[in-house]
Amino acid sequence: MKKIAEKLRTQAKAMQAIAECDGLKGKYADDLGDKARGLGRRLDLAEDRYREVKGHLGHWANDMESAQMTADRALQDAKDAQQILDKHKPDHDAKKGSDQDTGSDDPAVKRAEEDLEGARRKLNSAVTFYGNQADHWASKIRSSIDDDMEDSWWNDLKAWAGGDWLGDLAEWLSDITSVLSIIAIFFPAVGVVAGFLTGIVMAIHFIQALTGNGSWFDVLTDIAAFKMARNGIKAAKVVKSLQKEARGISQGLAKAQARRAATRANAASRRGGGRLARMHRVRENATGRAAGRQVRDEPMPELTRRQKLLALGDRDTSKQVKDIRRWQNQYPDDPRLGTAASEAGRQLGVAQATWGANAALDVAGRLGDAYSSTYTNAKGHMTAPALGLGSQW
């Protein structure tokens, strides 16, 4: 602390010299002088802190040494007294058996017992002195740092972001996300949780990198992982939406097809018009609605064993794709169903590929941290101080 105080004093003098320099000309000179003067004052305050606290710690060290010396003497006195008691123990125990109320008559034993009690009092006094002086000098230190110099919000943020607990939290969440990313290859529904945790880890790494406590490389990989996670979740949602759309299209087609068939069957009866024709129209409409409900209520198709293996565990999305293809086969002439089936198959591949790439990226990063010095050095070069960002704040 003394060395730091001396460096601060030297820097404060240098700032003052810049502020008082007459050789600087131009508009920048006044601004530079003001900033140098202000920084010099802050360095003076910092130097006062270090110098005063150094003095308090020096006095506290002397008090601790004094307390330790007192405790050492008490310990030695106790050892000497205990040796005398141990030496006279047989006679002492025998006399205590017959003379328990009056105590021992051996003067050496009595002196040893008194010395042992005195050593206890001496130790208690040292402990009390130690505690009192600790409170005294702690109060002095708090008073010395209670001045006009306050840390900025940026310094507070850097201290907060540099805490071990935040790094441990990011690492813990990263481990969970890694496991969930692998599971999401087979069960994309888990990807929602993985994507959410990836966003949290990315935010932590961003704050750490911004404050110089982490690497921007981690942020870039987090962005890539988050984008892939979002794409995987989005792809699964697209398949679900396409399946719902395909069902709606198929309901309309089934309804129209059933009505046309009923109309053709009743064509002869409807030529006469009148009440009979109206009854047929009502029945045709009912037939069409029934056909639409049948499509709507049709259960999802089951997967074959081979399809289950190809689905990699993502059976719900695979069933949705198979359902779309079923209605495409049912109504092959409708281009909308063909487009939906093609897009659903593509999105299913995207969902599985993105989670696979996410897991591969994570594993590669962990292997790089563990075994590649080039990888870790590259990350080190992408910190805020290495990029020259720290001074801007």
Side-chain angles (χ1 to χ4, degrees):
M1 297 192 80
K2 180 180 179 181
K3 290 180 179 179
I4 293 175
E6 291 173 351
K7 289 181 179 180
L8 289 171
R9 173 57 60 189
T10 301
Q11 295 299 323
K13 290 180 179 179
M15 291 299 103
Q16 189 64 29
I18 292 175
E20 296 174 355
C21 180
D22 295 330
L24 300 177
K25 303 297 181 182
K27 291 183 178 180
Y28 78 96
D30 293 337
D31 187 50
L32 179 62
D34 291 340
K35 290 184 180 296
R37 194 174 293 106
L39 180 57
R41 286 194 294 268
R42 289 181 61 83
L43 290 173
D44 278 335
L45 287 173
E47 188 271 340
D48 289 341
R49 279 190 177 189
Y50 277 89
R51 179 171 44 78
E52 290 182 11
V53 172
K54 184 269 297 185
H56 299 328
L57 290 175
H59 291 303
W60 170 223
N62 293 334
D63 288 343
M64 283 196 292
E65 185 177 4
S66 176
Q68 185 63 63
M69 291 175 60
T70 302
D72 290 341
R73 287 194 297 269
L75 177 61
Q76 188 59 50
D77 292 347
K79 286 181 178 180
D80 294 341
Q82 190 63 47
Q83 286 181 354
I84 295 175
L85 292 177
D86 291 342
K87 183 177 180 180
H88 294 79
K89 189 174 181 180
D91 297 339
H92 184 54
D93 290 344
K95 291 181 179 180
K96 281 186 69 176
S98 60
D99 200 12
Q100 190 170 3
D101 294 335
T102 59
S104 174
D105 293 332
D106 191 330
V109 172
K110 285 187 176 182
R111 283 196 302 273
E113 290 176 341
E114 292 174 356
D115 290 343
L116 187 61
E117 184 62 31
R120 291 193 181 98
R121 289 194 298 270
K122 191 178 295 183
L123 176 62
N124 290 335
S125 175
V127 171
T128 300
F129 175 78
Y130 176 90
N132 290 339
Q133 294 306 103
D135 293 339
H136 170 73
W137 293 117
S139 176
K140 286 284 189 180
I141 291 172
R142 281 192 292 268
S143 177
S144 294
I145 64 177
D146 184 18
D147 51 28
D148 294 334
M149 188 175 68
E150 299 292 340
D151 289 334
S152 67
W153 66 269
W154 180 247
N155 290 328
D156 292 337
L157 179 62
K158 288 197 293 185
W160 178 81
D164 291 338
W165 71 272
L166 191 61
D168 293 340
L169 175 62
E171 185 175 356
W172 182 67
L173 292 177
S174 295
D175 292 340
I176 296 177
T177 304
S178 299
V179 175
L180 293 179
S181 296
I182 296 174
I183 296 175
I185 300 174
F186 308 98
F187 303 96
V190 180
V192 177
V193 181
F196 177 74
L197 294 181
T198 300
I200 296 178
V201 173
M202 181 175 66
I204 294 175
H205 284 164
F206 178 79
I207 294 174
Q208 289 179 325
L210 192 64
T211 57
N213 295 296
S215 173
W216 287 105
F217 190 88
D218 289 331
V219 178
L220 294 177
T221 55
D222 288 339
I223 291 174
F226 185 77
K227 182 174 178 59
M228 285 188 288
R230 188 184 64 178
N231 289 342
I233 297 170
K234 183 180 178 181
K237 289 182 177 180
V238 169
V239 172
K240 185 176 181 180
S241 176
L242 288 171
Q243 187 267 335
K244 184 177 180 181
E245 179 183 348
R247 281 277 179 135
I249 294 172
S250 300
Q251 287 181 46
L253 293 173
K255 183 177 179 181
Q257 190 178 71
R259 287 185 62 185
R260 285 196 299 269
T263 299
R264 285 195 299 268
N266 299 325
S269 301
R270 293 179 60 179
R271 289 193 188 101
R275 181 178 180 185
L276 183 59
R278 289 194 296 271
M279 290 177 60
H280 283 305
R281 282 197 296 270
V282 172
R283 290 175 182 175
E284 291 162 6
N285 291 333
T287 301
R289 287 193 296 270
R293 286 195 298 270
Q294 185 176 359
V295 172
R296 182 195 64 190
D297 299 335
E298 187 73 20
M300 295 290 289
E302 294 297 328
L303 301 178
T304 64
R305 182 175 298 180
R306 180 174 178 276
Q307 289 171 337
K308 290 179 181 178
L309 292 175
L310 293 176
L312 297 177
D314 183 16
R315 298 184 180 181
D316 289 339
T317 306
S318 296
K319 284 182 178 181
Q320 292 166 357
V321 174
K322 187 174 182 179
D323 187 59
I324 297 172
R325 290 171 177 166
R326 173 175 62 180
W327 299 115
Q328 179 199 14
N329 295 331
Q330 183 75 22
Y331 305 103
D333 296 332
D334 193 292
R336 296 173 295 173
L337 292 176
T339 302
S342 176
E343 180 63 17
R346 190 183 73 83
Q347 292 293 340
L348 177 61
V350 169
Q352 294 173 341
T354 50
W355 289 116
N358 203 346
L361 179 66
D362 181 74
V363 171
R366 291 177 181 275
L367 291 176
D369 284 331
Y371 301 108
S372 175
S373 58
T374 303
Y375 181 83
T376 53
N377 288 337
K379 291 177 64 175
H381 289 314
M382 294 186 67
T383 60
L387 296 173
L389 300 178
S391 61
Q392 296 180 14
W393 300 90

